[in-house]
Amino acid sequence: MLRAEAAVPVRMRRVAVVAPEQALRASLVRIAEVGCVEIDLAGDSGPDVRGPAATRLQRLRAEPTRPVLSEAPPDLDALEREGRTDLLAGEAQLEERLGSAVRHGEVAALAGWCPETEVGSTAARIAGVGGALVPLRGPRGVDPPTLLTGAGTVPAGHAARTVRRSFTPLVTTYGTVPYADLDPTLPAGIVYVVMFGLMFGDAGHGLLLVAIALLLRAGRPRRLAALHPLWPFVAGAGLAATLAGAAYGEFFGPTGVLPVLWLEPLQEPMRLLTSAVGLGAVLLAVAYAAGIVNRWREGGPTAALYATTGIAGAALYLGLAVIAGYVWLGQVVYVVVGAAIAAVGLTLAGVGLYATTAGGAGGAVQTGVQLFDALVRIGSNVVSFARLAAFGLTHAALGAIAWDGTTALAGRGPAGVVAAAFVFLLGNAVAFSLEALVAGVQALRLEFYELFSRLFVGEGRPFKPWHLPVRHLTGPAPDTEPPADGEAVRHAPAREEQS
């Protein structure tokens, strides 16, 4: 079972960084080095108010560099002469936070947010330089920033966290999950690779994707090193495509290498279409269930009851699904029961929608339009999952064309064998590249418009911890032998280390 904390964003704690004035810089340096505290900045200082480091950085007018923070207060004039824009940029960020501190006598404080699990270790770290990290009560009416579980600090070798991290871009590309909502990262990733696999169903092509994932895991090619964290996502998509290809009997097309375990897409398109729509109906039901939970967590039972993405919308969807059961079962009772459930859903949704209008006749008209839109959207969203079958058929058709051309040329002597090999390779290359792109885009579209639109009605604020690498200065190694009388002690230059 999934742990409860894995189903929601990382729990945040309101904190204050408190330190004597003389220890505030050292405390902030350690906060930056740890990189797990988001510090509130004063927003009314104005663009023309710059500290000494920011002023020198502006004078240099150099290309932006990655900021680095010095452990000890640096000589700003020397940094400017040497063109050390990295250290000046780090000092400029530090100045901004020092300027945002609230001071009372000799004590200064900064407020911010920190993951609950990191409060203790961070407090211990800054205590060594005289600072303190004090937990506070969260301000009313202010939601904490959101950090998805997979986006946090990942222990080395932690497989579950690695997989979640690879799925995180699916969610963050859509938007920032509200802090009160469920974290959909893992289920969203699983649903995506399943839908991709159904559209990209070929065991040979799926195994190629798995091979690409293994190359990414090994850091090859180097130019794609930035994609290394996504290797579990690519591997999952490849595995899903391989399993779907085995079910379809497809291995670089209908080559006959694999037996058909379920159906042949080109021979049974209606069965594939029905299965795709049925899967979509199930996924929409799950999305409504998650939407009810999110509305409850956001605004309590009232918000969950009347929202079109809550109980009201779910009842409308269930009623229409029961009515649709009449098509297969042919019993009128399904129409009656379904209509009653749908009427309850429409009534609840209408009350909720009307409450958001200005009232009167105009509000009634607006509510009617929105209810009609909700009905149409449910039908169109269910039918939209037919694209899982449509693009699965397209992939199978491309594979069949390539294989038919290959077999037609293979029996025409040595030249025909060479031509057949060329057609086979070229056809599969076209099918792989084209369908990988199309299936990837279409799975993303279904996830965003049909599913996420029911999970989220608002957007949160992403957690942005202050994190900079810190330059440490280490002193000279002690002399192994004492200097002779009258001989000056030679000091080796300090070595620069960066964490």
Side-chain angles (χ1 to χ4, degrees), residues 414-434:
V417 172
V418 173
F422 176 76
V423 169
F424 181 78
L425 293 175
L426 179 62
N428 276 278
V430 171
F432 180 90
S433 56
L434 180 62

Side-chain angles (χ1 to χ4, degrees), residues 139-236:
R140 288 186 177 181
V142 177
D143 288 333
T146 300
L147 173 65
L148 299 181
T149 305
T153 303
V154 181
H158 200 305
R161 285 286 187 89
T162 303
V163 172
R164 291 180 69 92
R165 170 176 284 184
S166 72
F167 289 158
T168 298
L170 273 177
V171 181
T172 56
T173 300
Y174 182 81
T176 302
V177 177
Y179 181 77
D181 286 6
L182 298 174
D183 179 357
T185 304
L186 189 58
I190 294 173
V191 168
Y192 181 94
V193 299
V194 168
M195 293 192 297
F196 178 90
L198 290 175
M199 290 184 282
F200 197 70
D202 186 290
H205 294 170
L207 291 175
L208 285 178
L209 276 181
V210 172
I212 292 173
L214 294 177
L215 287 175
L216 291 177
R217 185 176 186 270
R220 298 289 187 273
R222 293 184 181 276
R223 71 179 68 179
L224 298 180
L227 300 179
H228 169 75
L230 298 180
W231 76 264
F233 176 75
V234 178

